[in-house]
Amino acid sequence: MANAEIQALIDLMARLPGLGPRSARRAVLHLIKKRAAVMRPLAQALMQVADGARECLVCGNIGTTDICDICRSDKRATGEICVVEHVADLWAMERSGVFRGRYHVLGGTLSALDAVGPDELRIPRLETRITEEGASEVILALGATVDGQTTAHYIADRLSGHEGLSVTTLAQGVPVGGELDYLDDGTIGAALRARRSF
Amino acid sequence: MANAEIQALIDLMARLPGLGPRSARRAVLHLIKKRAAVMRPLAQALMQVADGARECLVCGNIGTTDICDICRSDKRATGEICVVEHVADLWAMERSGVFRGRYHVLGGTLSALDAVGPDELRIPRLETRITEEGASEVILALGATVDGQTTAHYIADRLSGHEGLSVTTLAQGVPVGGELDYLDDGTIGAALRARRSF
């Protein structure tokens, strides 16, 4: 048991996803050793982000400005809007570096059980954006889960009224570096059905 | 890829032991969601501990005062000094709640390879304490590793000159809840050699 002040810090750290009491203790001892190089900068960065973080008013991305970097950049005005469930998915798409358009973060999936309807998911906002920005393509990059695909179908239905708008979705298949032996049957089936000429 | 300020925070979080880039991203998104309940208090606690943390001048425990809570408490003046390698070990001993004496944190083990000698390990300080505090027992609670046991033997040798001082070490055996099938041969051997009447 550490001193009360240090224990309070350990308890807070232990509440982070991915850290438990043991790893929180290790992290705190590590931080105390690297006080100048890591601990103070971390405290300052946390405070700064706590003060500054906000959702982009356009797409729902998290940044430190009212309109996020992507929505502000003219280069990203390609007429393509990629719809994702969570901010983490947007960041993952950005890391791949392939998509050059803009995003729309739903904030989850439709769920009757949790009473999440279209209005909770920025879906009306997506429709407004399509009109306002004159979008030509909406890419549904939702999870390959039941909830994700239900939500994708709902959105595709709802957008069918927009003339000249193409609604697409990510390809399903073998992941890069994936070995067939380790893949689930569903993925192999999907990859086979979507096979292409070599 | 997140906004620069948020990415800087993620990079700092990813340097904590037990967190990688992926879990750091998850932790930061979680923190931003729980800004008031977790993020601000965490930033404040980090800053407080960064400012206040110091090694106890007596035993080497980490606390926020020059002399730690344990060394200041008269109740802990039992004449027993428990020697541990690291502060984390001291905390682990305290959690068990069994030991009521004081500690001495070496800060590591003797190592010819890393040029760690007795003077780097607060061993002279331990001898002074034994005399000053009139200690009756030194418990060597060092790791059951080659380095830990080498250090234990060295300390035991060095303390052999103190009259009336008993030098003890932790029992080795089957861990509580341990199944024989999963234990290494060395532990089973040690437990058998140290068997006691039932």
Side-chain angles (χ1 to χ4, degrees):
Chain A
M1 233 155 41
N3 157 300
E5 229 170 301
I6 296 176
Q7 190 58 47
L9 173 59
I10 293 172
D11 293 344
L12 278 166
M13 293 284 288
R15 289 169 65 181
L16 293 179
L19 285 180
R22 175 181 296 271
S23 44
R25 279 194 298 271
R26 267 185 68 212
V28 167
L29 282 169
H30 171 87
L31 283 169
I32 291 175
K33 264 188 208 148
K34 311 232 162 184
R35 220 175 296 193
V38 188
M39 196 174 197
R40 280 178 214 280
L42 178 60
Q44 273 154 5
L46 277 168
M47 200 47 99
Q48 246 174 29
V49 172
D51 287 341
R54 65 202 67 192
E55 281 183 358
C56 171
L57 296 174
V58 177
C59 73
N61 185 14
I62 286 174
T64 47
T65 45
D66 280 341
I67 311 288
C68 78
D69 299 348
I70 297 170
C71 286
R72 269 186 306 174
S73 162
D74 286 340
K75 285 189 195 153
R76 308 295 296 252
T78 59
E80 297 161 314
I81 299 179
C82 178
V83 177
V84 294
E85 289 173 27
H86 300 288
V87 172
D89 304 330
L90 186 164
W91 292 355
M93 292 284 297
E94 280 295 282
R95 280 197 302 280
S96 85
V98 171
F99 181 64
R100 302 309 305 157
R102 286 181 177 151
Y103 294 93
H104 196 77
V105 181
L106 294 177
T109 50
L110 292 174
S111 162
L113 217 64
D114 301 324
V116 180
D119 295 347
E120 277 76 46
L121 290 185
R122 290 203 191 83
I123 292 177
R125 182 85 193 89
L126 174 62
E127 288 204 278
T128 325
R129 278 188 70 185
I130 291 167
T131 313
E132 278 177 8
E133 303 179 19
S136 58
E137 181 175 357
V138 166
I139 301 161
L140 299 173
L142 304 181
T145 59
V146 172
D147 281 353
Q149 292 310 303
T150 308
T151 309
H153 279 113
Y154 174 85
I155 295 175
D157 261 6
R158 193 154 157 171
L159 299 186
S160 61
H162 291 260
E163 273 193 32
L165 178 76
S166 69
V167 177
T168 59
T169 185
L170 295 184
Q172 283 199 311
V174 182
V176 174
E179 291 182 72
L180 290 194
D181 195 16
Y182 291 91
L183 277 180
D184 62 295
D185 306 348
T187 302
I188 292 182
L192 187 65
R193 281 192 298 273
R195 66 190 175 278
R196 57 191 178 72
S197 110
F198 190 75
Chain B
M1 231 154 43
N3 156 299
E5 229 169 303
I6 297 176
Q7 190 60 46
L9 174 59
I10 293 173
D11 292 344
L12 278 166
M13 294 283 289
R15 288 168 66 180
L16 294 179
L19 286 181
R22 176 181 295 271
S23 43
R25 279 194 297 271
R26 268 184 67 213
V28 167
L29 283 168
H30 171 88
L31 282 169
I32 290 174
K33 264 187 209 147
K34 311 231 162 182
R35 220 174 298 192
V38 187
M39 197 174 196
R40 280 179 213 281
L42 178 59
Q44 274 153 5
L46 277 168
M47 200 48 100
Q48 247 174 27
V49 172
D51 286 341
R54 65 201 69 192
E55 282 183 357
C56 172
L57 296 174
V58 177
C59 74
N61 185 14
I62 285 174
T64 48
T65 45
D66 282 340
I67 311 286
C68 78
D69 299 348
I70 296 170
C71 286
R72 268 187 307 174
S73 163
D74 286 338
K75 284 189 195 151
R76 306 296 295 254
T78 59
E80 296 161 316
I81 299 178
C82 177
V83 177
V84 293
E85 288 174 27
H86 300 289
V87 171
D89 304 330
L90 187 164
W91 292 354
M93 291 284 297
E94 280 297 280
R95 281 197 301 280
S96 84
V98 171
F99 181 64
R100 302 309 304 156
R102 286 182 177 151
Y103 294 93
H104 196 77
V105 181
L106 294 179
T109 50
L110 292 174
S111 162
L113 217 64
D114 301 324
V116 180
D119 295 347
E120 277 77 47
L121 290 185
R122 288 202 193 85
I123 291 178
R125 181 86 193 88
L126 174 62
E127 288 204 279
T128 325
R129 278 188 70 186
I130 290 168
T131 312
E132 278 176 7
E133 301 179 21
S136 57
E137 181 174 356
V138 166
I139 301 162
L140 299 172
L142 304 181
T145 59
V146 172
D147 280 353
Q149 292 310 302
T150 307
T151 310
H153 279 111
Y154 174 85
I155 295 176
D157 261 6
R158 193 155 158 169
L159 299 185
S160 60
H162 291 261
E163 273 193 32
L165 178 76
S166 68
V167 178
T168 59
T169 184
L170 296 183
Q172 281 198 313
V174 182
V176 174
E179 291 181 72
L180 289 196
D181 196 16
Y182 290 92
L183 278 181
D184 62 296
D185 306 349
T187 302
I188 292 183
L192 187 66
R193 282 191 299 274
R195 67 191 175 278
R196 56 191 178 75
S197 109
F198 189 77

